[in-house]
């Protein structure tokens, strides 16, 4: 009952009573205003809870300040490993010994509570480093990282990192850039969890998916990314049962349509009203 009351309390008038007439969709403009190159870039972007897609992939460019020989030196200092889909890159509670740079594939980083519930920090893509907040070793991993697809990764041990940091000032500055991007990710997650209701977080996540992976189809947008109710729940900080209930409610209000594992956004304006209600 508490969840239903919260959902009802956060619904805008058009969402609550089904009044849809006179509201114009703008998905055609949203889906076509990006150049093809920009669409490809967003499709490969990292994904975490944020009020905007701007900056989601900033951390993928932390090595851009290095020259080609310097980047080659960094990769040569690491150990190249392949991680099959579904296998762990690192596990919460394991001893920490360095960081991992994703060269190919995608890794979900998440925290598991003693109760067994999980919350996802982010889905990280090529160019990002993972394994923080420790850098040069010591302590234990505070998160787990699992390969969502087959990955190729450069593993940089603590001693290797320390040698690079002392020998290459540009790499030290690059790593600071990467840490800044990670700090913004943590801040964004804390801000949304602390200031947005769970139904607002769900609306924001659907809008983010549509921006990153949306394909225009008439007056609707198809989210071209397979995602389960469990994965959505771990992103928005809820349960699978609540997500299933609210997605069904969104379907009944004709905000979205679901065909198998495909989500189609029909009414972006109503999702935005949930976020920007007066």
């Amino acid at each position: 009952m508490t969840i239903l009351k919260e959902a009802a309390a956060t619904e805008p008038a058009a969402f609550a009573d089904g009044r849809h007439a006179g509201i114009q969709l703008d998905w055609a403009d949203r889906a076509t205003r990006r150049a093809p190159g920009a669409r490809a870039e967003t499709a490969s972007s990292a994904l975490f809870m944020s009020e905007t897609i701007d900056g989601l992939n900033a951390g993928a460019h932390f090595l851009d300040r290095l020259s080609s020989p310097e980047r080659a030196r960094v990769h040569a200092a690491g150990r190249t490993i392949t991680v099959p889909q579904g296998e762990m890159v690192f596990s919460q509670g394991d001893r920490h010994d360095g960081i991992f740079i994703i060269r190919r594939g995608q890794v979900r980083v998440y925290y598991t509570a003693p109760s067994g519930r999980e919350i996802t920090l982010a889905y990280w893509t090529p160019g990002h480093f993972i394994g923080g907040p420790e850098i040069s070793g010591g302590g234990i991993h505070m998160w787990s990282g699992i390969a969502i697809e087959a990955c190729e990764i450069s593993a940089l041990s603590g001693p290797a990192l320390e040698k690079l940091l002392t020998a290459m000032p540009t790499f030290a500055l690059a790593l600071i850039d990467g840490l800044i991007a990670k700090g913004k990710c943590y801040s964004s997650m804390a801000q949304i969890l602390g200031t947005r209701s769970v139904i607002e977080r769900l609306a924001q996540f659907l809008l983010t998916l549509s921006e990153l992976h949306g394909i225009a189809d008439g007056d609707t947008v198809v989210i071209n990314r397979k995602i389960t109710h469990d994965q959505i729940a771990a992103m928005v900080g809820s349960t699978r049962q609540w997500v299933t209930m609210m997605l069904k409610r969104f379907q009944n209000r004709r905000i979205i349509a679901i065909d198998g594992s495909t989500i189609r956004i029909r009414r972006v304006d109503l999702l935005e009203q949930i976020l920007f209600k007066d």
Side-chain angles (χ1 to χ4, degrees):
M1 290 301 295
T2 301
I3 290 173
L4 290 174
K5 287 179 181 178
E6 178 185 355
T10 56
E11 290 171 352
F15 175 58
D17 65 13
R19 289 184 281 109
H20 298 152
I23 301 176
Q24 299 298 315
L25 299 176
D26 63 354
W27 273 117
D29 291 339
R30 286 170 174 264
T32 58
R33 67 189 178 194
R34 294 193 196 96
R39 166 60 64 184
E41 181 179 349
T42 57
S44 61
S45 170
L47 175 62
F48 53 85
M49 289 300 299
S50 175
E51 300 281 3
T52 173
I53 66 169
D54 296 336
L56 285 181
N57 215 39
H61 306 290
F62 82 103
L63 292 180
D64 283 2
R65 68 165 64 231
L66 302 185
S67 66
S68 294
E70 286 174 329
R71 285 196 294 271
R73 183 177 174 185
V74 169
H75 290 304
R79 177 172 54 93
T80 300
I81 59 175
T82 57
V83 184
Q85 182 180 15
E87 296 294 322
M88 303 301 297
V89 181
F90 54 90
S91 296
Q92 180 180 327
D94 284 355
R95 179 179 175 274
H96 185 278
D97 184 26
I99 62 172
F100 307 86
I101 301 175
I102 303 173
R103 302 185 69 175
R104 174 176 56 84
Q106 185 175 179
V107 177
R108 179 172 79 99
V109 173
Y110 62 96
Y111 172 79
T112 305
S115 64
R117 283 187 60 178
E118 294 178 358
I119 188 164
T120 296
L121 171 65
Y123 290 83
W124 297 117
T125 47
H128 292 275
F129 80 82
I130 55 177
E134 295 282 357
I135 295 296
S136 59
I140 60 173
H141 283 287
M142 300 178 66
W143 308 83
S144 294
I146 186 170
I148 298 300
E149 54 194 44
C151 292
E152 179 180 303
I153 291 173
S154 290
L156 283 165
S157 68
L161 272 170
E162 289 187 356
K163 289 180 180 179
L164 288 172
L165 290 170
T166 55
M168 295 174 58
T170 50
F171 177 67
L173 293 172
L175 196 56
I176 290 173
D177 290 340
L179 289 170
I180 290 170
K182 287 291 187 290
K184 289 180 177 179
C185 170
Y186 302 145
S187 296
S188 177
M189 181 182 184
Q191 289 164 356
I192 287 186
L193 288 176
T195 63
R196 291 290 193 179
S197 69
V198 66
I199 193 172
E200 289 173 328
R201 297 198 297 268
L202 176 60
Q204 180 65 71
F205 185 56
L206 291 174
L207 288 170
T208 297
L209 286 177
S210 67
E211 286 286 303
L212 292 178
H213 304 286
I215 298 176
D217 184 14
D219 288 335
T220 68
V221 166
V222 176
I223 296 177
N224 188 32
R225 177 180 176 129
K226 304 301 182 186
I227 190 161
T228 68
H229 291 192
D230 283 319
Q231 290 169 334
I232 296 174
M235 284 294 299
V236 304
S238 185
T239 64
R240 179 185 59 79
Q241 291 83 357
W242 184 90
V243 167
T244 299
M245 181 187 71
M246 288 311 303
L247 291 180
K248 181 64 175 178
R249 192 180 186 121
F250 283 4
Q251 288 184 86
N252 291 340
R253 302 298 184 183
R254 300 177 66 81
I255 297 175
I256 66 171
I258 298 180
D259 181 14
S261 59
T262 299
I263 299 175
R264 181 186 298 269
I265 307 294
R266 305 176 69 173
R267 298 300 303 271
V268 64
D269 53 316
L270 295 185
L271 288 177
E272 289 178 337
Q273 283 186 41
I274 294 171
L275 289 175
F276 304 114
K277 61 184 183 298
D278 294 331

